[in-house]
Structures are given as structure tokens and as C-alpha cells.
Amino acid sequence: MARIVMKFGGTSVADIGRIHNAAKRVQREVEAGNEVAVVVSAMAGVTNQLVAYVDETSKIYDAREYDTIVASGEQVTAGLMALRLQEMGISARSWLGWQIPVKTNDVHGKARIQDIQADEIIRRFGEGQVAVMAGFQGVSPMNRITTLGRGGSDTSAVALAAALKADRCDIYTDVDGVYTTDPRIVPKARKIEKISHEEMLEMASLGAKVLQTRSVEIAMNHGVRLQVLSSFEDKPGTMVVDEEEIVEQQVVSGIAYSRDEAKITLVKVADKPGVAAAIFGPLTDNSINVDMIVQSVSPDGERTDMTFTVARTDLERAVSVLKQNHDKIGYESLLSDGEVVKISVIGVGMRSHAGVAQTMFRTLAEKGINIQVISTSEIKISTLVSEEYAELAMRSLHTAYGLDAG
Amino acid sequence: MARIVMKFGGTSVADIGRIHNAAKRVQREVEAGNEVAVVVSAMAGVTNQLVAYVDETSKIYDAREYDTIVASGEQVTAGLMALRLQEMGISARSWLGWQIPVKTNDVHGKARIQDIQADEIIRRFGEGQVAVMAGFQGVSPMNRITTLGRGGSDTSAVALAAALKADRCDIYTDVDGVYTTDPRIVPKARKIEKISHEEMLEMASLGAKVLQTRSVEIAMNHGVRLQVLSSFEDKPGTMVVDEEEIVEQQVVSGIAYSRDEAKITLVKVADKPGVAAAIFGPLTDNSINVDMIVQSVSPDGERTDMTFTVARTDLERAVSVLKQNHDKIGYESLLSDGEVVKISVIGVGMRSHAGVAQTMFRTLAEKGINIQVISTSEIKISTLVSEEYAELAMRSLHTAYGLDAG
């Protein structure tokens, strides 16, 4: 007997027929003697319809009302799933965020879960009851409905799994697992059998859309064993587990990319203490996040070029903020480029293997691809290249690291 | 300055455009310096869609899940209305049943409101905030969402008005008031300016669909002044008020009819104590309500005919129950007739005016309409006639009581 959380995304509960199919998967786990909690998203399309209503109603909206409106989608699916399970002879009840409660902070629209009271759900496991929790939602200290941001139902599921000390959290979705890279770009991409939490976190942060980043963070912090699998096919998916569980560790597990990048270069800024603060302070004040930063070596010790990246959607605002602060920062000119892409190779094996970065640089050089910015962490190397080389770079790197499907 | 509750039904908030129109009516009341609470139904069609989902999912459903699902419709409208008011520069927030809370019993699907905690709403009136409450819903002692039955948003509005000690509760709908009778049947029907709670209660119970019966009961018990008016036209509707407020009382205020009737006659039952219990006991045990009852005078003092009405939808079951109990009851034969209609004249003036019943009987006799069953109360006289005479009877009575529009 195991205790498992099963999460079904929007496409897996898109209509009544699919809810029935999802319920059959739950039935199978129940009949295998497991204790089961189900977490459901809104039926595909519902959330978008609700958001469209909000947009039609008001230009700038109160996020508390927005949350009240959009959280209704998951409420409906939770009720329907509970009914369907009952119809199949399985004891089940729906739980809304405020009923459990799933306590969050009050940052509406992207609230963070602070606590889940799972005692009553566990008590009912003892009576053979399945818990069906509405994903994506919680309740604020002010007793208002909060939502957890796009993909938030993943986070709901993992947080519930942590609270339940579940043996596994299965994320049912419309793809059959996590791939070494985006198969739409690299046809030789392979499904990964097992990947560590840390690698998955980098993959998710760097553009792999299969799991919400926050959900992987929680899984990592609480050691929740995650599985990403298809709700339309009967086969194992990708397990996301603690590093120790992975016996044969690849040096590089995957390649991520993000087109959501833009590059800014400030030419000839003073090479002196305080200049970085003068540049990045005003950006932070305007809620513009800076990602990669590189400062060129100053030939004369007085002037240097500062290059960094921001989200592409923030580029225009960032440029405007920097121009407003021209006198305070002091630079000769400002260059910006929205046509760049960040490509990252990820693998915990890097820690113990030398030459991983060298393989990347050599591979890109062989194809004549210029690296504009480099940044590294313990388990990833990211490079910024011109967008037109994105596909070529990814395919070449996928081959170079031996990731191509047999 | 007055304190008012404004309730908008499904057709009044059927789409975003209509929500905007409804919000303009709220704005007008706010700008007149009033304290305003708004109660909203689901957007027209939404509840039916949700009920269809439930029906597709499960044959016999758990009413607690049903309530969780269908209550989401009002939740969405409440959020949208609050947003729209904010967009117009009016401070507003949505309130769900469990947030206020609107405490009900646990009879899911047709719960009764037990208490509404209106203190916080009143406090916020002081800060100029409009409360937008989701109608139709409450929360049970078990902390689950309950709903109040079809038309339940009327009841939400009146109960909130009572809790707020509001000066008026305006029910915005797709008709412009309460009519002396159904204008689709009697073209000369007139809109009533003022009607007493008691009369309105009879009208609602007897088939006038404009207000939920329970809402009128609460209004009567708490002295809530109700107004039924159109959300599409700018003119006064019908005021439902305490009898004392009505200076020029009509003898008869309106004529109601119900096609939801069926007649059963048990021929030659024993005319002795206990026979009524033997007949109606088994019906009650099967949740079949009996409405009008008439026992013919027994010519020989031994045998009598017993005639009564049940809801037309219960007719088949009632006949079957009575046949099963044939031996216990003891009757010669059973006649049933589903093609009857109950026509009632209603008016508090009857209490002080003689001859009201006589007018009814004479009018029907003049048209050759046979009265099958009669029942009376202090302020109404109901007759059962063959369905084919329904329109003729109603038009004739409308004229006879001087109700025709000038």
C-alpha cells in the first residue's frame, strides 16, 4: 500500500469524457489498495474564458476579485471528479482551498502556500475516502481566495504530497514525460527516465514548461518523488527524484532554451565601485529582473562595457529606465538586442566531470555560432546566442553530449 | 440616505454588457448617497450548463458536490460585478456565502438560511464600500457550500436585507413588476403598484414565478420592503409591503393559476374515523404532498367519495401507492385526472368584504365552467377546473373583479 497524489492538468480533464478517463486511473490506484488524493485543474479553456471576462470588465483589476473568479474553474472540476468517483462506487469528496485549508500569503495572483492542514484528509484515508482537491487555489490570512499563478495546480499537488508525506506525486499531463530537450526543435530528443530535483528545477526555470518551477522547489525541499506522465497513454513517465536515487548519472541530462530574453549593453561605463548599483538599482525599483550579467575587462582600468539580459517583455521599459538614469550611471551609449536566445546545458554530473563547458564552447564554435554572454552555476552552463542559431545550436549540443535517441 | 439591497437575476447579468448596465444602476444609487449591497445570480445559462455537467457525470448525485459545482456561477458574477464597480470608481468587494458567512442548515440543494453575519458589511458601508454578495449560496455547519434551490438568490437578497435592516430590497428581473395575473394569458392584466406580503406569498405559492416563495416569507416575517422591477427599463416596479402601508386596498389583488395539479377521486370509501389517515398516510410516507381535499356528503352515512389533488409530476406514483394500499383503505374505484388547473383569487380585502367567493362561483357558472374542488383560506379562494377552461376562467374572473387595465 502506498499513499499517492494524482494531479490532472487542464487537458486531462478537458471535458466530461476525459474526467471519466482520469477517474478510471484513480480507480486503478484505489483498487491496488493505495490511499489517494487527487488534485485537479480547471477544464481546459475555462480559465481562459474567465480571464477574458475579467479583461472585458475592467482594465486594471483587483487581484483579489480576479482570484475569486478564476478559482471557480477548479472548484467545478473538483466537484465533478468527486461525483464521478462516487458513481464508480468509490467514496470521495471535494475539498476547496479554504476548506482544507490551504493557507497562503496574500500575494493574490501568485500566492505562495504556507501551510496545508492535511489531518482530516488523512483521517478519511483511514475510512477509504479519496480526497479531491481543487488545485491552483488557497486562502489568504484575510479569508479571501488566492491563486498560485499559471501552472499553480502542480504546486498544489506537490505541496499536498509533502503535507501528506505521500510516497509519490503523479503529474498527469498531455506529454508523456520530461525530454532531454524540446522535441519540436530536436527530433532526436529522448524521454528521460529519471532526473534529479535540482536538474528538473533548472529545466523548469530555463523554459521547460512541463512543471511549474515552484512545484519542483517544494518537491526538492520536501523530498517528494514526482512522476510526470501522460493521462492518455499507459506507460511510465519521468521520475523526478533525489539525486541519490539515480544510479547511472548522465553528465548532462538535458538542454533547455528560452526565447524570453533580451540583451542590453551599456558601452563605456565607469569601472569603479557603485556603478553596478547605479545600473541595477533603478531596474529593481521598476520590478525588472536582470538575469545574466557580464562585465568586460577594462583595458585602461577606467571604462568598461556592461552587458546583461532582461525578460524580452521588459526590454522597452528597461531601456527607458536606463535612459532616464543616464546622468547618474554615466555611459557612452546603450545597445539593445531582442533577438537572442539563452541555451543551457544541465546536469548534476558536471560537478564531478571536467570539460563539460569546453564541449559546449567547442561545439558552438565549430558551427560558427558566436557566444554573446556566458553564465554558469554548479549544475548548468548558459550561453546567449543570436536567435537565428537557436535550432542549430540545440541540435548540435544534443548530439555532442550524447543525448540523441538511439 | 437609505440602505438598500439590489438583486440582479440571471437575465440581468447574462453577459458582460448586462453586468455593466446593472453596475450603472448600482452607481446611481451610490451617487444618491445610499448604502448599497448587491446580490447577484449566475450569468443566464451558466447554472444550466453546470447542472448538465453534473447530469453527464453521475446518475444519482451527492447534493454536497452538486452545490459545490453550481454555486461557482454566482461566485464568478460577484467577482465581475465588484470589478466593474471598481472600474467605475466605486469601492466594492465580493462576498461569497462562506465568507460573510451566510449560515444555513445542511439540507443541500434547498438549504434554509439560519443566520447572516452582516457586521463587517455594515462597517464597510461606513467606509463607502459596496458589498457584492454571491446569491443562492451559503455554508453548512460542516463548512460545505450549500445552495438555496431555484430562485434562491431572491431569498439571499431578502435575508441580507433583513440582516442589514435595509430600507428596501430591489429585485431586478426581466419583467417590470408583479401583474394582476399572467399577461400571456390575460392581455388586460395590469401591473400592481403595491401588494401586501401576504398576497404576494399566495401569488408566489400559487404559480406566479416572479419571486421565490421563501423570499416572500422572510420579507413578511422581517418586514422587508421589496420592490420587483425591470433591469431593462427605467420605471418603478411593484412594491411588496406590509398591509398597513396600502391605503386603498383592492378586494381582490390578483388571480393566480397553476397547471401543476392532478386530481384523484377515491369512490365509495368508508365514511368512518381513520379513513383519511389510511389514505394520506401512505402518500406522506412516499413524500407526496396533497393540496386540496374535499369529501362529498355521504348520502347513506356509510360510503363517501374522497377527492384531492397532488402535483401532476406525482400523479403516477400516487396512483400506484393508493392501489398498493387498496385493501387497507377500502374503496370501490379510483379515478384520476391530470387535465385540471387550479385558479385562485387572492386579496386581503376578502377579510372585510362579503360576496367575493359568490362572484367567483357565479362568474364561472355563467361561462358554463364546472368547479370540481374548492378550497379557501382567509385571503384566497381556489377552485379546480378542467384545463380546457383555464384561459376563459381567468379572463372572466379578471373582468368580474374589476382588474382589467383601463
Side-chain angles (χ1 to χ4, degrees), chain A residues 312-360:
Chain A
R312 205 173 284 184
T313 47
D314 286 340
L315 178 59
E316 214 175 312
R317 271 173 56 237
V319 169
S320 146
V321 167
L322 292 167
K323 285 187 174 165
Q324 281 162 32
N325 287 275
H326 177 271
D327 293 348
K328 256 189 253 167
I329 303 169
Y331 55 85
E332 194 178 284
S333 60
L334 184 157
L335 308 172
S336 71
D337 183 357
E339 295 179 344
V340 292
V341 60
K342 181 169 71 171
I343 295 179
S344 311
V345 301
I346 296 154
V348 292
M350 283 183 204
R351 292 203 198 102
S352 47
H353 285 75
V356 177
Q358 185 52 27
T359 302
M360 186 172 199

Side-chain angles (χ1 to χ4, degrees), chain A residues 53 57, chain B residues 6-26 38-47 73-82 84 132-133 135 153 172-174 231-232:
Chain A
Y53 282 154
T57 301
Chain B
M6 305 173 76
K7 183 260 174 179
F8 295 95
T11 52
S12 305
V13 292
D15 55 38
I16 303 296
R18 288 195 178 171
I19 291 174
H20 292 190
N21 283 339
K24 278 186 204 150
R25 290 187 180 272
V26 176
V38 182
V39 176
V40 289
S41 297
M43 293 162 81
V46 167
T47 304
E74 282 72 15
Q75 177 172 333
V76 171
T77 323
L80 292 173
M81 177 62 83
R84 187 62 198 170
V132 182
M133 182 171 100
S153 289
Y172 286 90
T173 179
D174 50 2
S231 58
F232 306 115

Side-chain angles (χ1 to χ4, degrees), chain A residues 57-59 62 65 68-69 72 75-76 79-80 82-84 86-87 93-94 98-99 143-145, chain B residues 57-59 62 65 68-69 72 75-76 79-80 82-84 86-87 93-94 98-99 143-145:
Chain A
T57 301
S58 178
K59 281 188 291 292
D62 178 345
E65 301 302 346
T68 301
I69 293 163
S72 68
Q75 177 172 332
V76 171
L80 292 173
L83 283 181
R84 188 62 199 173
Q86 291 176 3
E87 178 79 9
R93 79 154 271 191
S94 66
W98 58 272
Q99 287 174 325
N143 210 29
R144 307 236 16 205
I145 295 177
Chain B
T57 301
S58 178
K59 281 188 292 293
D62 178 345
E65 300 301 346
T68 301
I69 294 163
S72 68
Q75 177 172 333
V76 171
L80 292 173
L83 283 181
R84 187 62 198 170
Q86 290 176 3
E87 177 79 9
R93 78 154 271 190
S94 66
W98 58 272
Q99 288 174 325
N143 210 30
R144 303 220 41 190
I145 295 175

Side-chain angles (χ1 to χ4, degrees), chain A residues 298-318:
Chain A
S298 167
D300 56 3
E302 283 178 8
R303 294 265 153 183
T304 180
D305 296 342
M306 188 75 91
T307 299
F308 50 89
T309 62
V310 296
R312 205 173 284 184
T313 47
D314 286 340
L315 178 59
E316 214 175 312
R317 271 173 56 237

Side-chain angles (χ1 to χ4, degrees), chain A residues 84-401:
Chain A
R84 188 62 199 173
L85 291 170
Q86 291 176 3
E87 178 79 9
M88 296 164 87
I90 297 165
S91 169
R93 79 154 271 191
S94 66
W95 292 93
L96 304 179
W98 58 272
Q99 287 174 325
I100 292 182
V102 176
K103 291 186 186 167
T104 72
N105 63 12
D106 63 357
V107 184
H108 285 271
K110 45 183 180 181
R112 284 173 79 106
I113 295 176
Q114 292 174 329
D115 181 48
I116 295 185
Q117 270 304 330
D119 299 357
E120 180 63 17
I121 289 177
I122 292 171
R123 194 185 68 70
R124 287 163 183 249
F125 280 159
E127 299 171 353
Q129 190 176 78
V130 172
V132 183
M133 182 171 101
F136 182 56
Q137 62 181 251
V139 62
S140 77
M142 297 296 290
N143 210 29
R144 307 236 16 205
I145 295 177
T146 52
T147 66
L148 312 179
R150 279 274 162 182
S153 289
D154 290 343
T155 302
S156 301
V158 176
L160 181 60
L164 292 171
K165 301 195 197 326
D167 297 288
R168 207 171 71 233
C169 179
D170 286 346
I171 307 284
Y172 286 90
T173 179
D174 51 1
V175 296
D176 61 355
V178 180
Y179 277 71
T180 48
T181 193
D182 188 336
R184 287 167 303 183
I185 295 178
V186 183
K188 289 181 177 167
R190 270 191 305 108
K191 191 172 80 179
I192 300 171
E193 258 182 66
K194 275 191 182 181
I195 187 171
S196 70
H197 287 123
E198 276 177 286
E199 288 167 320
M200 189 66 231
L201 188 57
E202 294 286 0
M203 297 277 273
S205 312
L206 295 168
K209 301 276 186 258
V210 68
L211 282 173
Q212 200 200 28
T213 306
R214 175 78 184 131
S215 72
V216 186
E217 262 175 46
I218 298 177
M220 184 164 76
N221 292 338
H222 293 85
V224 175
R225 301 179 75 240
L226 273 176
Q227 182 176 202
V228 176
L229 71 174
S230 167
S231 58
F232 306 114
E233 290 177 88
D234 259 332
K235 57 183 190 191
T238 298
M239 290 296 309
V240 185
V241 295
D242 275 345
E243 203 179 324
E244 294 78 53
E245 253 197 70
I246 303 173
V247 181
E248 287 220 41
Q249 186 64 59
Q250 300 276 337
V251 177
V252 166
S253 295
I255 298 172
Y257 78 109
S258 164
R259 291 185 197 274
D260 177 36
E261 303 285 326
K263 185 180 72 166
I264 295 175
T265 302
L266 296 180
V267 179
K268 295 203 175 161
V269 294
D271 190 6
K272 61 175 185 195
V275 72
I279 296 169
F280 299 121
L283 293 175
T284 304
D285 293 345
N286 285 277
S287 306
I288 298 167
N289 283 324
V290 171
D291 178 18
M292 307 168 89
I293 302 176
V294 62
Q295 187 175 342
S296 62
V297 176
S298 167
D300 56 3
E302 283 178 8
R303 294 265 153 183
T304 180
D305 296 342
M306 188 75 91
T307 299
F308 50 89
T309 62
V310 296
R312 205 173 284 184
T313 47
D314 286 340
L315 178 59
E316 214 175 312
R317 271 173 56 237
V319 169
S320 146
V321 167
L322 292 167
K323 285 187 174 165
Q324 281 162 32
N325 287 275
H326 177 271
D327 293 348
K328 256 189 253 167
I329 303 169
Y331 55 85
E332 194 178 284
S333 60
L334 184 157
L335 308 172
S336 71
D337 183 357
E339 295 179 344
V340 292
V341 60
K342 181 169 71 171
I343 295 179
S344 311
V345 301
I346 296 154
V348 292
M350 283 183 204
R351 292 203 198 102
S352 47
H353 285 75
V356 177
Q358 185 52 27
T359 302
M360 186 172 199
F361 303 151
R362 196 193 58 235
T363 304
L364 295 177
E366 278 170 9
K367 300 292 174 185
I369 301 170
N370 185 42
I371 299 175
Q372 303 183 9
V373 184
I374 298 169
S375 79
T376 61
S377 79
E378 208 188 8
I379 65 162
K380 76 153 196 280
I381 306 156
S382 297
T383 55
L384 198 72
V385 303
S386 171
E387 193 172 16
E388 57 188 333
Y389 290 108
E391 292 81 4
L392 175 62
M394 286 173 66
R395 281 196 301 268
S396 307
L397 291 169
H398 201 264
T399 304
Y401 286 109

